[in-house]
Amino acid sequence: MAAPWVILGRVARIAAAAAAAADPGDDAEADPADFSLAVALPPYPYILAAGPGCLLSRFSAAPFYVARFGLDPPDTHLVLVHRFGAAAGGSGTTASAVRVPDRPASMPAIRNIEGVGLVGLDDGEGYVIAELQIDSGSDRARLFRVHTGQDRWIETELRNPLPARDREWVPGGVVSLGGKLYWFNLSWGILSCDPFVHAPDLLFCSLPPGRVLDLARPHIHNSRSIMVSRGDLRYVEIIPEDSDNGEAARIFMSTLEPTGWEVPYEERFEEIWNENSYKKTWLPKEVPELVVVCPSNPDLVYFALEQHIFSVNIRGHEVLEFAEETHELVNLPWPTPASCRYVLAWDLPSTAAEDCWRSYLEEHK
Ligand SMILES: *[C@@H]1O[C@H](CO)[C@@H](O)[C@H](O)[C@H]1NC(C)=O
């Protein structure tokens, strides 16, 4: 059986009693999540990355709603949360937090939290955290790294492999796979390197053929994503209907192989809508938003429509799970889809998994 995993909202909901004063409208206690962790207040946590047995979080002193900082970036403090365990008394999860060293004043601050990647080692005991910064027009890229056991960040200059120097590189997310980091931009492509070597080579790979956009689109995270499933990097996209060309709305998926993108496969939404399993959900026949791909099964894709999350075996066109309750995965002050931007798929550490399973059984007794 595949390891239990969760869809983790990145904007953590503050649910402890102490938070009641800060947010009187929060009814999180009445509506327990499957996975929750008590944090000390007041800092506002935002989960940047999830690794095996660890989470990387940024804390800010005030709620914070943009990923990209302007010319005057605020202080960023990073914390690695690890050593998950069940709380005494059997309810909730405990963990320890380690403060990641701050960058010295002489080094540029973190520019974009969507460009901070994590490789977790030894079940969360070790880490490498890295950010890549590229100024448009420059033939150099700057890699900022910090490893466990080191008390400082190091900066390395790398060759900039981007094919168009005048196009600005803005990361839309980072994933880690096989000890490497992949910074992606959902309209352009992927930069990757091995953060463990002294002077890594930075490589560029465009999005699959036909998927590159000349201009970035707003809300692109609602329909495109790059994630790891069953040990491979996958590009997933919901391609909308194009009636001019007689093309129906469909889901597109391609896997990155050492030789390049694999021939993609595509499934039309109509095929899913026409199945009984979809009709049973009572959802309208509308193109949903993309949420995540199951980390162990690339055919199993999670979507959201009208705040409901459902999973579809896309090759079989069959809806497998449908959440009757509307999701509250994204804790922002305005309605926000549970898009790949705000959620992470995370394989639960075994200690936390047991606890989630126990509370699930309690609730469904
Ligand atoms: C991709 O890059 C463009 C600039 O080239 C930027 O405007 C956009 O926000 C980036 N977005 C994502 C989500 O990858």
Side-chain angles (χ1 to χ4, degrees):
M1 205 184 90
W5 63 284
V6 287
I7 302 178
L8 204 61
R10 286 181 189 259
V11 189
R13 187 137 44 118
I14 297 175
D23 185 1
D26 199 325
D27 60 354
E29 273 196 302
D31 173 24
D34 287 337
F35 175 81
S36 64
L37 181 71
V39 294
L41 295 170
Y44 289 85
Y46 179 87
I47 298 170
L48 301 184
C54 59
L55 297 174
L56 177 65
S57 179
R58 167 188 197 268
F59 282 88
S60 59
F64 153 92
Y65 300 116
V66 291
R68 221 183 141 187
F69 304 132
L71 289 175
D72 183 23
D75 278 348
T76 287
H77 303 293
L78 302 178
V79 164
L80 188 87
V81 184
H82 67 173
R83 299 187 186 161
F84 292 90
S91 114
T93 302
T94 58
S96 322
V98 218
R99 178 106 182 243
V100 175
D102 288 333
R103 287 200 190 159
S106 57
M107 198 179 263
I110 288 178
R111 189 181 278 180
N112 180 331
I113 55 173
E114 289 178 320
V116 179
L118 162 78
V119 185
L121 303 164
D122 305 327
D123 211 19
E125 287 304 306
Y127 63 77
V128 177
I129 295 165
E131 188 205 7
L132 191 63
Q133 294 186 1
I134 303 179
D135 294 320
S136 64
S138 171
D139 61 354
R140 303 269 108 192
R142 291 192 291 179
L143 181 69
F144 300 92
R145 291 180 277 184
V146 62
H147 295 240
T148 347
Q150 258 176 351
D151 55 2
R152 62 191 187 94
W153 286 80
I154 51 163
E155 177 179 344
T156 317
E157 277 212 356
L158 311 178
R159 192 187 56 87
N160 173 7
L162 290 173
R165 292 282 154 75
D166 53 348
R167 184 169 179 173
E168 197 190 0
W169 172 262
V170 182
V174 200
V175 292
S176 118
L177 172 66
K180 290 199 178 133
L181 286 171
Y182 296 81
W183 288 264
F184 58 81
N185 177 283
L186 293 171
S187 56
W188 195 3
I190 304 171
L191 285 167
S192 63
C193 79
D194 179 343
F196 293 94
V197 303
H198 175 66
D201 270 338
L202 191 60
L203 304 175
F204 177 74
C205 166
S206 286
L207 294 185
R211 307 325 305 156
V212 176
L213 298 172
D214 291 335
L215 285 175
R217 242 186 240 153
H219 310 298
I220 199 168
H221 283 92
N222 299 356
S223 61
R224 292 180 173 215
S225 183
I226 287 178
M227 44 187 92
V228 174
S229 177
R230 199 181 285 154
D232 277 311
L233 204 73
R234 321 274 175 172
Y235 172 79
V236 200
E237 180 180 348
I238 292 176
I239 303 180
E241 182 185 333
D242 178 357
S243 36
D244 293 346
N245 293 312
E247 285 180 1
R250 58 204 196 272
I251 174 104
F252 170 107
M253 191 181 289
S254 182
T255 303
L256 189 62
E257 298 285 348
T259 49
W261 294 103
E262 211 184 39
V263 178
Y265 80 90
E266 301 185 12
E267 297 289 345
R268 294 190 300 138
F269 278 103
E270 247 167 339
E271 311 249 25
I272 299 168
W273 295 335
N274 290 337
E275 286 293 317
N276 262 335
S277 58
Y278 189 83
K279 291 181 185 150
K280 279 196 216 145
T281 64
W282 300 105
L283 287 172
K285 293 183 174 182
E286 277 168 30
V287 178
E289 279 133 11
L290 186 59
V291 181
V292 287
V293 177
C294 169
S296 61
N297 178 3
D299 293 341
L300 190 59
V301 181
Y302 287 73
F303 299 97
L305 188 61
E306 300 189 334
Q307 300 280 109
H308 292 280
I309 299 212
F310 61 102
S311 66
V312 179
N313 177 318
I314 49 175
R315 287 190 202 254
H317 311 138
E318 192 191 354
V319 175
L320 295 183
E321 294 145 287
F322 168 67
E324 205 112 5
E325 266 174 55
T326 54
H327 75 78
E328 288 182 51
L329 275 169
V330 186
N331 178 31
L332 289 180
W334 50 84
T336 313
S339 81
C340 329
R341 182 171 207 170
Y342 298 109
V343 303
L344 286 168
W346 186 43
D347 286 323
L348 279 177
S350 52
T351 40
E354 277 163 35
D355 188 57
C356 281
W357 186 234
R358 202 175 321 118
S359 30
Y360 176 87
L361 290 179
E362 282 290 308
E363 268 171 54
H364 295 83
K365 234 182 347 215

